[in-house]
Amino acid sequence: MAQNQRLRSLPSVDRVLNAPELSGLVGQYGAQACKLAAQGELARLRKALRDGDGDVEALVSGADFQGRLYTAVQRKLAAEFSASLKPVFNLSGTVVHTNLGRSALPAEAVEAMATAAGACNLEYDLEAGHRGDRDHHLEATLCELTGARAATVVNNNAAAVLLVLNTLATGREVVISRGELVEIGGSFRMPEIMQSANCILRETGTTNRTHLRDYENAINERTALLMKVHTSNYEVRGFTNSVSGQELSQLARENGLPFVHDLGSGTLVDLVRYGLPHEPTVNEALAEGVDLVTFSGDKLLGGPQAGIIVGGRELVDRVRRNPLKRALRVDKITIAALREVLNLYKDPQRLSSRLPMLADLTRSAAEILALGERLLKPVAEAFGPAACVALTECNSQIGSGALPLERLESTALQLTPIAEKGGKDAALQLLAGRLRELPRPVIGRIRDGGLLLDLRCLRDEEEFVAQLREVV
Ligand SMILES: *Cc1c(COP(=O)(O)O)cnc(C)c1O
C-alpha cells in the first residue's frame, strides 16, 4: 500500500466515535474528551505514516487495525481520567521524602479534610454570625503547644520566610551569618528569598566561624532585623563558631531590632524523648528570646504542607496585615488537617503511635527485621529467576533536611538482578522500573549493585506481597 492510500484508509473522527465498540465511552467521559482523544490518536498515526514509521504502516494495513485503534483511544481516555497522584510504597529509606509527599497524614487528619471539603465556617464566626478569621482555627493550639503569644499559618515555610522578611525588612538590610546562607532542595536559597522579599542581604562572619562582634559590626541605620537560619541539611564541622540564639536576642533587643529564626523542620517536642537525636524545638527557640520563629508543617511536625509563624502579638499582627499574606494563605483542607495533627501533640505519650511520621521514625530495628524475615520468602518467590533476594542491614534517614547526619538502623530487602543483559546497571534500572510500574508503585534505592527496599515505612504488608505477583 502506498503512503497516500494508507493515510486515506484511516477512519474519520466521527466514525471512530460512532463505532459500537466505543459506545460506552461518550457516556463515561463526555463527547468532547472522546473527540479529542480520537483526534489525537488519528493525528499521531497520520504523522507516523508521513514519517514512514514501519511499525505503524504494518499496524494500519493489518486486519485487526480498527480493534487496535479503538483500544488505543480507550486507553488514552482511561489514562487521562485516572488519578495522577498515586499512593506508593516509600521504601526509599528516607522517611520524610519531599518527592514522595513528605509526611503521611494520620487518619484523623484525613477524615477532617473530607469534613471540611464542603461548605464550612472557614472564615465565619458562628456565634456572632459574621466574618471571622481563618487563623482562628489554629492559633490557640499553636500558642498552647509552643508557648508563643500569637501564630499564623501560610502555604509553606518558604512562604513564611518570604512573608516575614517582606513585612519587617522591605528595602532594608537583614543581617545573617555566612555559615547560614542555606539552599534547601528545589530552589529555596536564602539569598534569593531575600531578593524576592525585597530585602538587602547583609552577610556577616565567615562560612565556618561567625562571632557576636560580626553581628555588632554589621548593624547600621539600614538594618531591619537579625536573622538566624537552622542549617538543616548540612553541618559545618571542625573549627567552627556560631552565635547562640540567646546572645542574638539580646543584641537585637539592645539595638531595638526584631530577631527572626527560621527553624526549618521545627519540631514541637524534644525528639530525644522518643529515642531520636535532638533537633531544636520551637519552644526552645522562643525561650531564647526570638521574636518570630518560622517552620514547616510537613517536615518533623508530620502534618500537611504549611508554613507556621509564631511569636509576639505585635509582630504577628504586622505579618498578617501584609497584602502578601492573602496571596500565601492556606486553604480549609490544610487547616483541617493541621488542626488534627496539632491536637495529637497535646498527648505526647501516645504521639509516637498516632502520628505516622513519628511511628516510622521510632519503629524498632527488631520489628523491621521481623517484617523482613516474614517477607523474604514470598518476595524471593515472586522474583523467581529474575533476581536474588536477601535481607541486609541498612540505615534509614529522617529526610527533608532534618538531622542529615543521623542514621536509623533498619533492614532492607536487597534485590540483585540475575540476568545482566546490557550490563549490571541496565538490569538494575530495569528492575527498579518494573517495581515502579506496579499498581501501587514501589520506590527503593540503588546501593552496591542491588536495589534496596528499606522496610521501615512498609505498613501494608499484605497488599505489598499480593501485587508482587504481577512483577515478573
Ligand atoms: C525546609 C526548609 C525551608 C523551606 O520549607 P518548606 O516548608 O519546604 O517551604 C526553609 N528553611 C529551612 C531552614 C528549611 O529547612
Side-chain angles (χ1 to χ4, degrees), residues 106-144:
E108 294 89 340
V110 176
E111 203 174 306
M113 287 158 82
T115 305
C120 67
N121 59 329
L122 174 63
E123 281 185 359
Y124 191 78
D125 184 334
L126 289 172
E127 226 167 274
H130 57 58
R131 192 179 193 286
D133 187 334
R134 65 180 64 206
D135 277 345
H136 179 75
H137 302 282
L138 298 168
E139 186 168 26
T141 309
L142 279 168
C143 290
E144 180 191 323

Side-chain angles (χ1 to χ4, degrees), residues 214-360:
D214 293 322
Y215 287 95
E216 284 166 352
N217 292 340
I219 294 174
N220 60 54
E221 67 287 351
R222 293 178 304 275
T223 307
L225 61 89
L226 304 187
M227 179 150 197
K228 195 166 176 62
V229 179
H230 184 46
T231 54
S232 1
N233 53 2
Y234 67 100
E235 207 175 289
V236 182
R237 286 195 173 178
F239 186 54
T240 66
N241 190 61
S242 62
V243 181
S244 74
Q246 230 151 3
E247 289 171 285
L248 280 180
S249 307
Q250 199 183 337
L251 181 66
R253 223 170 305 123
E254 284 164 11
N255 287 276
L257 297 168
F259 172 39
V260 173
H261 195 161
D262 173 20
L263 264 191
S265 285
T267 154
L268 296 179
V269 282
D270 187 354
L271 295 177
V272 169
R273 159 179 202 151
Y274 304 102
L276 293 165
H278 180 76
E279 170 83 8
T281 70
V282 178
N283 309 52
E284 284 166 7
L286 288 167
E288 286 175 348
V290 176
D291 295 299
L292 285 180
V293 179
T294 65
F295 57 103
S296 280
D298 56 353
K299 289 185 177 171
L300 284 177
L301 189 71
Q305 179 189 302
I308 302 170
I309 303 167
V310 298
R313 163 73 35 214
E314 195 264 330
L315 288 181
V316 169
D317 281 344
R318 269 174 70 192
V319 165
R320 265 198 196 128
R321 285 194 300 269
N322 186 332
L324 261 186
K325 166 71 165 54
R326 170 68 178 74
L328 302 172
R329 74 185 183 188
V330 273
D331 75 330
K332 59 184 179 177
I333 308 289
T334 302
I335 291 173
L338 187 54
R339 185 176 160 100
E340 293 301 319
V341 170
L342 290 174
N343 278 338
L344 295 182
Y345 277 86
K346 293 181 178 174
D347 184 0
Q349 265 175 353
R350 285 191 294 167
L351 188 66
S352 64
S353 60
R354 295 165 85 194
L355 191 63
M357 183 260 330
L358 199 55
D360 284 343

Side-chain angles (χ1 to χ4, degrees), residues 417 423-436 446 451:
K424 211 174 166 104
D425 278 354
L428 257 181
Q429 294 298 343
L430 195 72
L431 187 65
R434 284 229 193 99
L435 287 169
R436 291 198 304 271
I446 287 173
L451 180 63

Side-chain angles (χ1 to χ4, degrees), residues 45 54 157 185 189 198 233 256 347 360 365 382 400 421 459:
L45 294 173
N157 189 35
R189 307 175 93 189
N198 198 25
N233 53 2
D347 184 0
D360 284 343
S400 276
K421 233 192 312 173
R459 297 287 174 179

Side-chain angles (χ1 to χ4, degrees), residues 32-49:
Q32 179 176 301
C34 290
K35 189 172 169 187
L36 281 174
Q39 278 172 340
E41 189 53 24
L42 288 167
R44 188 183 72 81
L45 294 173
R46 223 174 283 124
K47 178 171 185 307
L49 290 177

Side-chain angles (χ1 to χ4, degrees), residues 78-79 82-90 99-101 435-443 463 467:
S82 72
S84 176
L85 290 173
K86 292 183 189 175
V88 301
F89 283 104
N90 172 13
N99 301 150
L100 301 180
L435 287 169
R436 291 198 304 271
E437 281 167 8
L438 287 168
R440 182 166 166 192
V442 173
I443 314 294
E463 186 191 345
Q467 71 162 7

